[in-house]
Amino acid sequence: MRIGELSERTGTPRRLLRYYEEQGLILPDRCANGYRAYDERLVDRVLQIRGLLDAGLPTRIIKQILPCLDKPRLIHFSDATPEMIATLEDERDRMTRRIECLTHNRDAISEYLDAVLDHNATATATATATS
Protein backbone atom coordinates (compact mmCIF):
# COMPACT_ATOMS: atom_id res chain seq x y z
CA MET A 1 0.00 0.00 0.00
CA ARG A 2 1.08 3.58 -0.48
CA ILE A 3 1.72 6.08 2.30
CA GLY A 4 -1.67 7.75 1.85
CA GLU A 5 -3.53 4.52 2.53
CA LEU A 6 -1.38 3.73 5.57
CA SER A 7 -2.00 7.26 6.81
CA GLU A 8 -5.75 6.90 6.36
CA ARG A 9 -5.96 3.44 7.92
CA THR A 10 -3.97 4.42 11.00
CA GLY A 11 -5.04 8.04 11.40
CA THR A 12 -1.37 9.00 11.27
CA PRO A 13 -0.22 11.98 9.20
CA ARG A 14 2.12 11.17 6.31
CA ARG A 15 4.78 13.41 7.77
CA LEU A 16 4.72 11.40 10.99
CA LEU A 17 4.99 8.13 9.04
CA ARG A 18 8.10 9.49 7.32
CA TYR A 19 9.48 10.42 10.74
CA TYR A 20 8.85 6.84 11.96
CA GLU A 21 10.81 5.66 8.93
CA GLU A 22 13.68 8.06 9.68
CA GLN A 23 13.78 6.74 13.25
CA GLY A 24 13.90 3.14 12.01
CA LEU A 25 10.52 2.29 13.55
CA ILE A 26 8.99 1.22 10.24
CA LEU A 27 10.76 0.01 7.13
CA PRO A 28 8.78 0.25 3.91
CA ASP A 29 9.90 -1.42 0.72
CA ARG A 30 10.79 0.68 -2.31
CA CYS A 31 9.14 0.13 -5.68
CA ALA A 32 11.08 0.38 -8.94
CA ASN A 33 9.80 3.95 -9.32
CA GLY A 34 11.17 4.87 -5.86
CA TYR A 35 7.77 5.06 -4.14
CA ARG A 36 7.42 3.59 -0.69
CA ALA A 37 5.39 0.38 -0.45
CA TYR A 38 4.01 -0.38 2.99
CA ASP A 39 3.27 -3.96 3.98
CA GLU A 40 -0.11 -4.75 5.54
CA ARG A 41 1.55 -5.65 8.84
CA LEU A 42 2.72 -2.04 9.22
CA VAL A 43 -0.85 -0.97 9.99
CA ASP A 44 -0.64 -2.75 13.35
CA ARG A 45 2.96 -1.65 13.84
CA VAL A 46 2.06 2.04 13.39
CA LEU A 47 -0.83 1.66 15.83
CA GLN A 48 1.55 0.05 18.34
CA ILE A 49 4.03 2.88 17.90
CA ARG A 50 1.33 5.49 18.40
CA GLY A 51 0.12 3.75 21.54
CA LEU A 52 3.62 3.63 22.97
CA LEU A 53 4.22 7.28 22.11
CA ASP A 54 0.89 8.21 23.70
CA ALA A 55 2.01 6.33 26.80
CA GLY A 56 5.06 8.60 26.94
CA LEU A 57 7.84 6.34 25.66
CA PRO A 58 10.52 8.05 23.60
CA THR A 59 11.23 6.73 20.09
CA ARG A 60 14.68 5.47 21.10
CA ILE A 61 13.09 3.12 23.64
CA ILE A 62 10.28 2.16 21.26
CA LYS A 63 12.85 1.16 18.65
CA GLN A 64 14.50 -1.17 21.15
CA ILE A 65 11.31 -2.88 22.31
CA LEU A 66 9.48 -3.17 18.96
CA PRO A 67 10.95 -6.62 18.25
CA CYS A 68 9.39 -7.80 21.51
CA LEU A 69 5.96 -6.91 20.15
CA ASP A 70 6.27 -9.12 17.07
CA LYS A 71 4.77 -12.57 16.84
CA PRO A 72 6.65 -14.79 17.04
CA ARG A 73 8.54 -12.73 19.55
CA LEU A 74 12.10 -11.87 18.66
CA ILE A 75 13.79 -10.54 21.76
CA HIS A 76 17.35 -9.28 21.52
CA PHE A 77 19.35 -8.80 24.70
CA SER A 78 22.66 -7.67 23.23
CA ASP A 79 22.01 -3.97 23.84
CA ALA A 80 19.99 -4.19 27.05
CA THR A 81 22.09 -1.84 29.17
CA PRO A 82 21.37 -1.24 32.86
CA GLU A 83 20.22 2.27 31.90
CA MET A 84 17.76 0.91 29.35
CA ILE A 85 16.40 -1.61 31.83
CA ALA A 86 15.98 1.12 34.44
CA THR A 87 14.25 3.35 31.88
CA LEU A 88 11.86 0.54 30.91
CA GLU A 89 11.10 -0.20 34.55
CA ASP A 90 10.42 3.49 35.19
CA GLU A 91 8.19 3.71 32.11
CA ARG A 92 6.30 0.55 33.10
CA ASP A 93 5.74 1.91 36.61
CA ARG A 94 4.65 5.30 35.25
CA MET A 95 2.17 3.58 32.91
CA THR A 96 0.82 1.53 35.80
CA ARG A 97 0.23 4.70 37.82
CA ARG A 98 -1.43 6.34 34.83
CA ILE A 99 -3.69 3.32 34.30
CA GLU A 100 -4.67 3.41 37.97
CA CYS A 101 -5.45 7.13 37.73
CA LEU A 102 -7.46 6.69 34.53
CA THR A 103 -9.36 3.77 36.04
CA HIS A 104 -10.19 5.84 39.13
CA ASN A 105 -11.36 8.77 36.99
CA ARG A 106 -13.40 6.49 34.69
CA ASP A 107 -15.11 4.94 37.72
CA ALA A 108 -15.88 8.37 39.18
CA ILE A 109 -17.38 9.55 35.87
CA SER A 110 -19.43 6.35 35.63
CA GLU A 111 -20.81 6.87 39.14
CA TYR A 112 -21.68 10.47 38.34
CA LEU A 113 -23.29 9.50 35.04
CA ASP A 114 -25.31 6.75 36.73
CA ALA A 115 -26.55 9.26 39.35
CA VAL A 116 -27.48 11.82 36.67
CA LEU A 117 -29.32 9.23 34.57
CA ASP A 118 -31.12 7.89 37.65
CA HIS A 119 -32.10 11.42 38.69
CA ASN A 120 -33.34 12.21 35.16
CA ALA A 121 -35.33 8.97 35.00
CA THR A 122 -36.91 9.70 38.39
CA ALA A 123 -37.70 13.28 37.39
CA THR A 124 -39.25 12.13 34.09
CA ALA A 125 -41.33 9.49 35.86
CA THR A 126 -42.53 12.03 38.45
CA ALA A 127 -43.40 14.55 35.77
CA THR A 128 -45.30 11.94 33.76
CA ALA A 129 -47.21 10.76 36.85
CA THR A 130 -48.32 14.28 37.79
CA SER A 131 -49.45 15.16 34.25
Side-chain angles (χ1 to χ4, degrees):
M1 82 183 81
R2 301 272 304 276
I3 194 168
E5 183 180 348
L6 182 62
S7 173
E8 185 176 312
R9 290 181 60 190
T10 61
T12 305
R14 294 174 191 202
R15 184 174 179 182
L16 197 49
L17 292 172
R18 288 186 195 99
Y19 173 75
Y20 294 169
E21 182 181 353
E22 288 172 12
Q23 297 300 307
L25 301 176
I26 60 174
L27 301 171
D29 295 323
R30 290 286 181 165
C31 298
N33 60 6
Y35 290 167
R36 293 170 177 90
Y38 295 90
D39 187 272
E40 181 69 28
R41 66 183 171 73
L42 289 179
V43 172
D44 288 333
R45 173 54 50 101
V46 169
L47 295 174
Q48 286 176 320
I49 292 166
R50 295 206 44 183
L52 293 168
L53 287 168
D54 287 347
L57 269 76
T59 55
R60 67 180 172 76
I61 297 295
I62 293 172
K63 184 176 180 178
Q64 291 177 324
I65 66 170
L66 276 176
C68 301
L69 303 176
D70 288 336
K71 293 193 184 231
R73 301 208 187 281
L74 303 171
I75 300 176
H76 304 281
F77 296 103
S78 60
D79 59 350
T81 65
E83 293 80 17
M84 185 186 88
I85 291 168
T87 299
L88 289 173
E89 289 173 338
D90 290 345
E91 290 298 330
R92 180 204 54 209
D93 295 345
R94 190 184 61 73
M95 283 183 202
T96 299
R97 289 189 301 274
R98 185 168 180 211
I99 289 168
E100 290 167 354
C101 179
L102 288 170
T103 300
H104 175 77
N105 290 341
R106 181 206 57 208
D107 293 346
I109 289 170
S110 291
E111 288 178 27
Y112 177 79
L113 184 57
D114 289 345
V116 167
L117 293 173
D118 185 50
H119 173 76
N120 287 348
T122 302
T124 301
T126 303
T128 303
T130 59
S131 297

